[in-house]
Amino acid sequence: MAKYNKLAGKHIVVIGGTRGIGRGIVEASLESGARVTLAGSSQTSADTAVKSIKAEYHNTNNTTGQHLLGLSCDLSAQDSTESALETLLATAAARNGEVDHVVYTAADSLSLGDLQAVTPATALKAAHMRFLVPVLVGKVVERYFSRAEMKGRGDKSLVLTTGAIASKPAPGWSVIAYFAGGINALTRNLALDLAPVRVNAVEPGIVNTGLWDPGYASLEEREAGLMKMTAGQPVGRPGAVEEVVEAYMYLLRDANATGETVRTRGGQHLV
Ligand SMILES: NC(=O)c1ccc[n+]([C@@H]2O[C@H](COP(=O)([O-])OP(=O)(O)OC[C@H]3O[C@@H](n4cnc5c(N)ncnc54)[C@H](OP(=O)(O)O)[C@@H]3O)[C@@H](O)[C@H]2O)c1
Protein backbone atom coordinates (compact mmCIF):
# COMPACT_ATOMS: atom_id res chain seq x y z
CA MET A 1 0.00 0.00 0.00
CA ALA A 2 1.37 3.44 -0.89
CA LYS A 3 1.64 5.60 2.23
CA TYR A 4 3.26 8.75 0.91
CA ASN A 5 1.28 9.87 -2.13
CA LYS A 6 -1.21 11.65 0.14
CA LEU A 7 -2.25 14.26 -2.40
CA ALA A 8 -3.19 11.87 -5.21
CA GLY A 9 -6.84 12.49 -6.13
CA LYS A 10 -7.19 15.39 -3.67
CA HIS A 11 -8.58 18.72 -4.87
CA ILE A 12 -6.33 21.70 -4.12
CA VAL A 13 -7.49 25.28 -4.79
CA VAL A 14 -4.64 27.77 -5.20
CA ILE A 15 -5.77 31.39 -4.87
CA GLY A 16 -3.02 33.28 -6.68
CA GLY A 17 -2.07 30.24 -8.75
CA THR A 18 -1.50 32.02 -12.07
CA ARG A 19 2.05 33.19 -11.39
CA GLY A 20 5.02 33.03 -9.04
CA ILE A 21 4.89 30.82 -5.96
CA GLY A 22 1.21 29.94 -6.49
CA ARG A 23 1.88 28.65 -9.97
CA GLY A 24 4.67 26.48 -8.59
CA ILE A 25 2.21 25.01 -6.05
CA VAL A 26 -0.23 24.28 -8.90
CA GLU A 27 2.48 22.44 -10.83
CA ALA A 28 3.75 20.50 -7.80
CA SER A 29 0.18 19.51 -6.90
CA LEU A 30 -0.49 18.27 -10.43
CA GLU A 31 2.77 16.30 -10.34
CA SER A 32 1.52 14.77 -7.05
CA GLY A 33 -1.60 13.50 -8.82
CA ALA A 34 -4.00 16.08 -7.33
CA ARG A 35 -6.88 17.83 -9.02
CA VAL A 36 -6.14 21.53 -9.03
CA THR A 37 -8.15 24.71 -9.40
CA LEU A 38 -6.08 27.83 -9.84
CA ALA A 39 -7.60 31.25 -9.31
CA GLY A 40 -6.37 34.53 -10.73
CA SER A 41 -7.59 38.10 -10.65
CA SER A 42 -9.34 37.64 -14.03
CA GLN A 43 -10.61 34.80 -16.20
CA THR A 44 -8.06 35.85 -18.84
CA SER A 45 -5.09 35.45 -16.50
CA ALA A 46 -6.47 32.12 -15.22
CA ASP A 47 -7.01 30.82 -18.78
CA THR A 48 -3.53 31.95 -19.85
CA ALA A 49 -1.96 30.13 -16.89
CA VAL A 50 -3.95 26.93 -17.54
CA LYS A 51 -2.97 26.97 -21.21
CA SER A 52 0.72 27.44 -20.50
CA ILE A 53 0.82 24.82 -17.72
CA LYS A 54 -0.90 22.29 -20.00
CA ALA A 55 1.59 23.12 -22.77
CA GLU A 56 4.50 22.75 -20.36
CA TYR A 57 3.44 19.24 -19.34
CA HIS A 58 2.18 18.13 -22.75
CA ASN A 59 5.45 16.56 -23.90
CA THR A 60 6.38 14.86 -20.64
CA ASN A 61 3.04 13.54 -19.42
CA ASN A 62 -0.09 14.30 -21.33
CA THR A 63 -2.38 13.44 -18.41
CA THR A 64 -0.80 15.81 -15.84
CA GLY A 65 -2.88 18.81 -16.86
CA GLN A 66 -6.16 16.90 -17.23
CA HIS A 67 -7.56 17.85 -13.84
CA LEU A 68 -6.60 21.51 -13.99
CA LEU A 69 -9.28 24.20 -13.87
CA GLY A 70 -8.75 27.97 -14.04
CA LEU A 71 -11.21 30.39 -12.42
CA SER A 72 -11.43 34.12 -11.89
CA CYS A 73 -11.52 35.44 -8.31
CA ASP A 74 -10.90 39.17 -8.19
CA LEU A 75 -10.08 40.07 -4.60
CA SER A 76 -9.38 43.75 -5.17
CA ALA A 77 -12.72 45.17 -3.99
CA GLN A 78 -13.41 45.15 -0.26
CA ASP A 79 -17.21 44.81 -0.65
CA SER A 80 -17.13 41.80 -2.98
CA THR A 81 -14.15 39.84 -1.58
CA GLU A 82 -16.17 37.48 0.62
CA SER A 83 -18.72 36.67 -2.09
CA ALA A 84 -15.93 36.23 -4.68
CA LEU A 85 -14.22 33.67 -2.40
CA GLU A 86 -17.50 31.88 -1.74
CA THR A 87 -18.29 31.68 -5.46
CA LEU A 88 -14.77 30.43 -6.15
CA LEU A 89 -15.07 27.47 -3.76
CA ALA A 90 -18.61 26.61 -4.90
CA THR A 91 -17.62 26.71 -8.59
CA ALA A 92 -14.40 24.79 -8.00
CA ALA A 93 -16.37 22.07 -6.16
CA ALA A 94 -19.08 21.90 -8.81
CA ARG A 95 -16.60 21.63 -11.69
CA ASN A 96 -13.63 19.79 -10.16
CA GLY A 97 -15.05 17.92 -7.12
CA GLU A 98 -15.26 18.74 -3.40
CA VAL A 99 -12.26 20.76 -2.22
CA ASP A 100 -9.70 19.24 0.19
CA HIS A 101 -7.11 22.00 0.55
CA VAL A 102 -7.01 25.76 -0.05
CA VAL A 103 -3.74 27.69 -0.50
CA TYR A 104 -3.63 31.49 -0.46
CA THR A 105 -0.68 33.12 -2.27
CA ALA A 106 -2.41 36.07 -3.96
CA ALA A 107 -0.78 39.44 -3.40
CA ASP A 108 -0.49 42.79 -5.11
CA SER A 109 2.89 44.46 -5.47
CA LEU A 110 4.54 45.90 -2.36
CA SER A 111 3.41 49.50 -2.30
CA LEU A 112 5.04 50.83 0.85
CA GLY A 113 8.49 52.20 1.49
CA ASP A 114 9.99 54.61 3.94
CA LEU A 115 7.88 55.22 7.09
CA GLN A 116 7.68 58.97 6.40
CA ALA A 117 5.98 58.25 3.06
CA VAL A 118 3.23 56.16 4.72
CA THR A 119 -0.24 57.72 4.76
CA PRO A 120 -3.49 56.25 6.08
CA ALA A 121 -4.54 55.69 2.47
CA THR A 122 -1.35 53.82 1.43
CA ALA A 123 -1.30 51.73 4.64
CA LEU A 124 -4.95 50.72 4.23
CA LYS A 125 -4.43 49.93 0.54
CA ALA A 126 -1.49 47.64 1.41
CA ALA A 127 -3.60 46.09 4.19
CA HIS A 128 -6.29 44.81 1.85
CA MET A 129 -4.57 41.73 0.35
CA ARG A 130 -2.28 41.09 3.36
CA PHE A 131 -4.60 41.81 6.29
CA LEU A 132 -8.28 41.71 5.30
CA VAL A 133 -8.34 39.04 2.58
CA PRO A 134 -6.54 36.33 4.66
CA VAL A 135 -9.18 36.83 7.41
CA LEU A 136 -12.00 36.46 4.87
CA VAL A 137 -10.30 33.42 3.32
CA GLY A 138 -10.33 31.82 6.80
CA LYS A 139 -13.99 32.76 7.28
CA VAL A 140 -15.14 31.38 3.93
CA VAL A 141 -13.01 28.23 4.21
CA GLU A 142 -14.49 27.54 7.66
CA ARG A 143 -18.02 27.80 6.22
CA TYR A 144 -17.15 25.61 3.23
CA PHE A 145 -15.66 22.79 5.33
CA SER A 146 -18.43 23.01 7.97
CA ARG A 147 -21.15 21.89 5.56
CA ALA A 148 -22.78 18.59 6.47
CA GLU A 149 -21.58 16.90 3.27
CA MET A 150 -17.92 17.57 4.22
CA LYS A 151 -18.11 15.69 7.54
CA GLY A 152 -15.88 12.61 7.67
CA ARG A 153 -14.19 13.38 4.34
CA GLY A 154 -10.62 13.17 5.68
CA ASP A 155 -7.83 15.69 6.05
CA LYS A 156 -8.70 19.29 5.11
CA SER A 157 -6.45 22.31 5.34
CA LEU A 158 -5.77 25.95 4.57
CA VAL A 159 -2.27 27.30 3.93
CA LEU A 160 -1.66 31.05 4.12
CA THR A 161 1.44 32.99 3.06
CA THR A 162 3.48 35.45 5.07
CA GLY A 163 7.09 36.59 4.49
CA ALA A 164 10.49 36.64 6.19
CA ILE A 165 10.01 40.27 7.16
CA ALA A 166 7.70 38.88 9.90
CA SER A 167 10.70 37.45 11.74
CA LYS A 168 13.64 39.50 10.41
CA PRO A 169 13.10 43.29 10.55
CA ALA A 170 14.55 45.55 7.83
CA PRO A 171 14.55 49.37 7.59
CA GLY A 172 11.66 50.74 5.53
CA TRP A 173 9.43 47.67 5.95
CA SER A 174 7.55 48.46 9.20
CA VAL A 175 4.02 48.31 7.80
CA ILE A 176 4.52 45.17 5.71
CA ALA A 177 6.30 43.54 8.69
CA TYR A 178 3.25 44.34 10.81
CA PHE A 179 0.92 42.54 8.36
CA ALA A 180 3.35 39.63 7.87
CA GLY A 181 3.70 39.10 11.64
CA GLY A 182 -0.08 39.28 11.90
CA ILE A 183 -0.47 36.39 9.44
CA ASN A 184 1.57 34.17 11.79
CA ALA A 185 -0.73 35.03 14.71
CA LEU A 186 -3.81 34.69 12.49
CA THR A 187 -2.63 31.23 11.40
CA ARG A 188 -2.30 29.99 14.96
CA ASN A 189 -5.68 31.34 15.96
CA LEU A 190 -7.49 30.12 12.84
CA ALA A 191 -6.04 26.67 13.59
CA LEU A 192 -8.21 26.72 16.75
CA ASP A 193 -11.25 28.33 15.10
CA LEU A 194 -11.30 25.94 12.13
CA ALA A 195 -10.22 22.70 13.88
CA PRO A 196 -10.24 19.90 12.84
CA VAL A 197 -9.47 21.70 9.57
CA ARG A 198 -5.72 22.44 9.72
CA VAL A 199 -4.40 25.96 9.19
CA ASN A 200 -0.72 26.67 8.49
CA ALA A 201 1.45 29.29 6.82
CA VAL A 202 4.63 29.50 4.78
CA GLU A 203 7.17 32.25 5.39
CA PRO A 204 9.40 32.67 2.32
CA GLY A 205 12.46 34.88 2.12
CA ILE A 206 13.22 36.71 -1.11
CA VAL A 207 12.00 34.65 -4.06
CA ASN A 208 12.63 35.37 -7.73
CA THR A 209 9.09 36.15 -8.95
CA GLY A 210 7.25 38.90 -10.77
CA LEU A 211 6.15 40.36 -7.42
CA TRP A 212 9.33 42.42 -7.62
CA ASP A 213 8.82 43.59 -11.23
CA PRO A 214 7.45 47.08 -10.43
CA GLY A 215 10.91 48.03 -9.10
CA TYR A 216 12.81 46.97 -12.24
CA ALA A 217 12.83 47.74 -15.98
CA SER A 218 13.50 44.17 -17.18
CA LEU A 219 13.77 40.55 -16.02
CA GLU A 220 17.58 40.82 -16.11
CA GLU A 221 17.48 43.92 -13.90
CA ARG A 222 15.13 42.20 -11.46
CA GLU A 223 17.38 39.15 -11.22
CA ALA A 224 20.47 41.33 -10.71
CA GLY A 225 18.62 43.38 -8.07
CA LEU A 226 17.49 40.29 -6.16
CA MET A 227 21.01 38.82 -6.35
CA LYS A 228 22.31 42.01 -4.78
CA MET A 229 19.65 41.94 -2.05
CA THR A 230 20.51 38.36 -1.10
CA ALA A 231 24.30 38.38 -1.68
CA GLY A 232 25.12 38.62 2.04
CA GLN A 233 22.80 35.80 3.04
CA PRO A 234 24.10 32.25 3.63
CA VAL A 235 22.46 30.84 0.47
CA GLY A 236 23.65 33.95 -1.39
CA ARG A 237 20.91 34.15 -4.03
CA PRO A 238 17.12 34.55 -4.12
CA GLY A 239 15.01 31.46 -3.52
CA ALA A 240 13.58 29.71 -6.56
CA VAL A 241 9.85 29.01 -6.79
CA GLU A 242 10.45 25.25 -7.00
CA GLU A 243 12.41 25.44 -3.74
CA VAL A 244 9.92 27.33 -1.55
CA VAL A 245 6.98 25.36 -2.97
CA GLU A 246 8.30 22.36 -1.00
CA ALA A 247 7.24 24.09 2.24
CA TYR A 248 3.63 24.28 1.02
CA MET A 249 3.67 20.66 -0.18
CA TYR A 250 4.91 19.52 3.24
CA LEU A 251 2.09 21.37 5.04
CA LEU A 252 -0.49 19.93 2.65
CA ARG A 253 0.75 16.39 3.27
CA ASP A 254 1.34 16.30 7.03
CA ALA A 255 -2.07 15.84 8.66
CA ASN A 256 -0.38 16.31 12.05
CA ALA A 257 0.71 19.90 11.32
CA THR A 258 -1.57 22.76 12.31
CA GLY A 259 -0.95 26.28 13.60
CA GLU A 260 2.58 26.07 12.16
CA THR A 261 4.62 28.48 10.08
CA VAL A 262 7.22 26.79 7.89
CA ARG A 263 10.14 29.06 6.98
CA THR A 264 12.27 28.91 3.84
CA ARG A 265 14.44 32.01 3.89
CA GLY A 266 17.90 31.26 2.47
CA GLY A 267 19.32 32.09 5.90
CA GLN A 268 18.01 35.67 5.74
CA HIS A 269 17.32 35.52 9.50
CA LEU A 270 20.96 34.74 10.34
CA VAL A 271 22.61 37.92 9.04
N1 LIG B 1 8.36 36.80 -4.06
C1 LIG B 1 8.90 37.03 -2.88
O1 LIG B 1 10.08 37.39 -2.74
C2 LIG B 1 8.08 36.86 -1.62
C3 LIG B 1 8.74 36.97 -0.37
C4 LIG B 1 8.00 36.81 0.79
C5 LIG B 1 6.64 36.60 0.72
N2 LIG B 1 6.04 36.53 -0.49
C6 LIG B 1 4.59 36.32 -0.51
O2 LIG B 1 4.30 35.16 -1.28
C7 LIG B 1 3.02 35.32 -1.90
C8 LIG B 1 3.13 35.04 -3.38
O3 LIG B 1 4.01 35.98 -3.95
P1 LIG B 1 4.56 35.82 -5.45
O4 LIG B 1 5.95 36.32 -5.42
O5 LIG B 1 4.25 34.47 -5.95
O6 LIG B 1 3.64 36.92 -6.19
P2 LIG B 1 3.33 37.09 -7.77
O7 LIG B 1 4.27 36.28 -8.60
O8 LIG B 1 3.28 38.56 -8.01
O9 LIG B 1 1.87 36.46 -7.94
C9 LIG B 1 0.79 37.14 -7.38
C10 LIG B 1 -0.48 36.34 -7.57
O10 LIG B 1 -1.53 37.07 -6.92
C11 LIG B 1 -2.63 37.19 -7.81
N3 LIG B 1 -3.35 38.44 -7.56
C12 LIG B 1 -2.85 39.71 -7.55
N4 LIG B 1 -3.84 40.59 -7.34
C13 LIG B 1 -4.99 39.88 -7.21
C14 LIG B 1 -6.34 40.21 -7.01
N5 LIG B 1 -6.75 41.48 -6.88
N6 LIG B 1 -7.27 39.22 -6.94
C15 LIG B 1 -6.88 37.92 -7.08
N7 LIG B 1 -5.61 37.53 -7.29
C16 LIG B 1 -4.67 38.50 -7.36
C17 LIG B 1 -2.01 37.19 -9.20
O11 LIG B 1 -3.02 36.81 -10.12
P3 LIG B 1 -3.14 37.46 -11.62
O12 LIG B 1 -1.97 36.94 -12.38
O13 LIG B 1 -4.42 36.94 -12.11
O14 LIG B 1 -3.13 38.95 -11.44
C18 LIG B 1 -0.90 36.16 -9.02
O15 LIG B 1 -1.42 34.86 -9.19
C19 LIG B 1 2.56 36.74 -1.52
O16 LIG B 1 1.77 36.69 -0.35
C20 LIG B 1 3.86 37.45 -1.21
O17 LIG B 1 3.67 38.57 -0.36
C21 LIG B 1 6.72 36.63 -1.66
Side-chain angles (χ1 to χ4, degrees):
M1 187 188 77
K3 288 188 289 187
Y4 292 100
N5 61 343
K6 299 181 178 73
L7 298 179
K10 299 291 181 182
H11 182 185
I12 301 169
V13 174
V14 185
I15 305 170
T18 58
R19 292 186 278 122
I21 296 170
R23 177 171 166 145
I25 298 162
V26 169
E27 294 180 351
S29 301
L30 288 170
E31 289 187 18
S32 302
R35 286 170 290 132
V36 183
T37 299
L38 66 79
S41 59
S42 71
Q43 193 58 52
T44 306
S45 69
D47 289 344
T48 304
V50 167
K51 200 171 160 197
S52 90
I53 291 168
K54 285 189 171 173
E56 190 183 327
Y57 283 100
H58 183 72
N59 293 332
T60 46
N61 181 352
N62 208 0
T63 60
T64 305
Q66 251 173 21
H67 301 292
L68 175 61
L69 174 68
L71 295 176
S72 161
C73 182
D74 181 7
L75 302 170
S76 58
Q78 200 170 309
D79 295 349
S80 57
T81 294
E82 190 169 343
S83 60
L85 289 165
E86 202 153 52
T87 303
L88 170 68
L89 293 188
T91 310
R95 293 183 53 191
N96 216 3
E98 289 290 1
V99 176
D100 297 289
H101 302 282
V102 177
V103 182
Y104 178 68
T105 60
D108 47 6
S109 58
L110 303 164
S111 54
L112 291 176
D114 184 69
L115 188 60
Q116 291 308 315
V118 173
T119 65
T122 59
L124 289 174
K125 182 175 180 297
H128 179 69
M129 296 290 283
R130 292 175 173 80
F131 169 78
L132 180 65
V133 179
V135 173
L136 296 177
V137 168
K139 184 179 175 191
V140 170
V141 164
E142 179 183 38
R143 266 204 312 267
Y144 178 84
F145 286 136
S146 300
R147 292 172 307 133
E149 54 269 46
M150 295 306 289
K151 297 275 182 282
R153 286 183 63 96
D155 184 40
K156 306 288 169 224
S157 83
L158 166 65
V159 185
L160 299 174
T161 305
T162 176
I165 195 67
S167 51
K168 172 70 179 177
W173 284 77
S174 290
V175 179
I176 297 291
Y178 172 41
F179 300 144
I183 299 268
N184 288 335
L186 176 70
T187 298
R188 292 192 295 270
N189 223 90
L190 285 178
L192 292 180
D193 282 342
L194 271 65
V197 173
R198 300 182 297 112
V199 184
N200 294 293
V202 172
E203 188 180 295
I206 293 166
V207 186
N208 186 11
T209 74
L211 186 74
W212 297 99
D213 280 348
Y216 300 102
S218 66
L219 179 61
E220 292 70 33
E221 269 193 31
R222 182 231 287 176
E223 288 181 347
L226 296 184
M227 276 303 289
K228 207 168 153 191
M229 282 166 72
T230 50
Q233 297 177 6
V235 171
R237 57 167 176 77
V241 164
E242 57 270 30
E243 292 165 342
V244 300
V245 159
E246 296 294 348
Y248 293 84
M249 303 316 286
Y250 157 69
L251 288 169
L252 291 172
R253 287 192 173 100
D254 183 355
N256 191 45
T258 193
E260 307 282 9
T261 295
V262 171
R263 299 181 169 91
T264 166
R265 300 175 282 180
Q268 184 175 342
H269 58 299
L270 301 172
V271 290

